[in-house]
Amino acid sequence: QVQLVESGGGLVQAGGSLRLSCAASGRTFSNYAMGWFRQAPGKEREFVAAIHRTGGRTYYADSMKGRFTISRDNAKNTVYLQMNSLKPEDTAVYYCAAEAHTLGLTPRATDYDYWGQGTQVTVSS
């Protein structure tokens, strides 16, 4: 019922910034909590950040706090991930996800119902 398309990935130097966007289809985008995950080669998918349906509350993995900011614009059916002070260990494919069945915010990938195809972020040292 929801299609998600990420954009904004690319190659950036360590210490630089990128802003990822996730455009969602559907009339009920505001009913979903949204999350960002990432996955590096050979590693499990890792939680990055999540945002409540209203955008009023956010939740970050400890390693992202102070560097990454998740936001959403429900009028545009879009969620964003602003990434600052990027490090080589941030290199991964970043995925946008939508969650419809949990009342709060969750870092569990299995709790999310819809996923985008991902966008590659590469941070050079």
Side-chain angles (χ1 to χ4, degrees):
Q1 296 181 4
V2 177
Q3 292 184 341
L4 306 172
V5 180
E6 302 96 333
S7 62
L11 176 65
V12 65
Q13 191 176 21
S17 299
L18 284 174
R19 190 192 196 198
L20 305 183
S21 298
C22 174
S25 65
R27 299 176 181 269
T28 57
F29 174 72
S30 62
N31 291 341
Y32 295 89
M34 300 295 296
W36 286 97
F37 292 76
R38 68 186 186 185
Q39 188 166 24
K43 296 185 177 181
E44 295 184 353
R45 192 161 296 188
E46 176 188 22
F47 172 73
V48 174
I51 188 166
H52 189 262
R53 294 158 47 225
T54 66
R57 286 171 289 282
T58 57
Y59 177 32
Y60 298 92
D62 287 343
S63 62
M64 320 300 171
K65 292 180 180 178
R67 299 192 301 123
F68 291 8
T69 302
I70 187 171
S71 62
R72 69 190 297 164
D73 186 341
N74 287 350
K76 297 181 178 179
N77 287 358
T78 302
V79 63
Y80 305 95
L81 184 68
Q82 177 67 46
M83 304 185 294
N84 299 325
S85 301
L86 284 163
K87 306 173 182 179
E89 52 262 43
D90 295 320
T91 296
V93 176
Y94 283 71
Y95 297 91
C96 175
E99 192 277 315
H101 304 297
T102 300
L103 295 178
L105 300 178
T106 176
R108 289 165 45 88
T110 54
D111 287 337
Y112 288 79
D113 303 288
Y114 303 99
W115 294 84
Q117 294 297 308
T119 185
Q120 177 71 47
V121 172
T122 302
V123 184
S124 62
S125 59

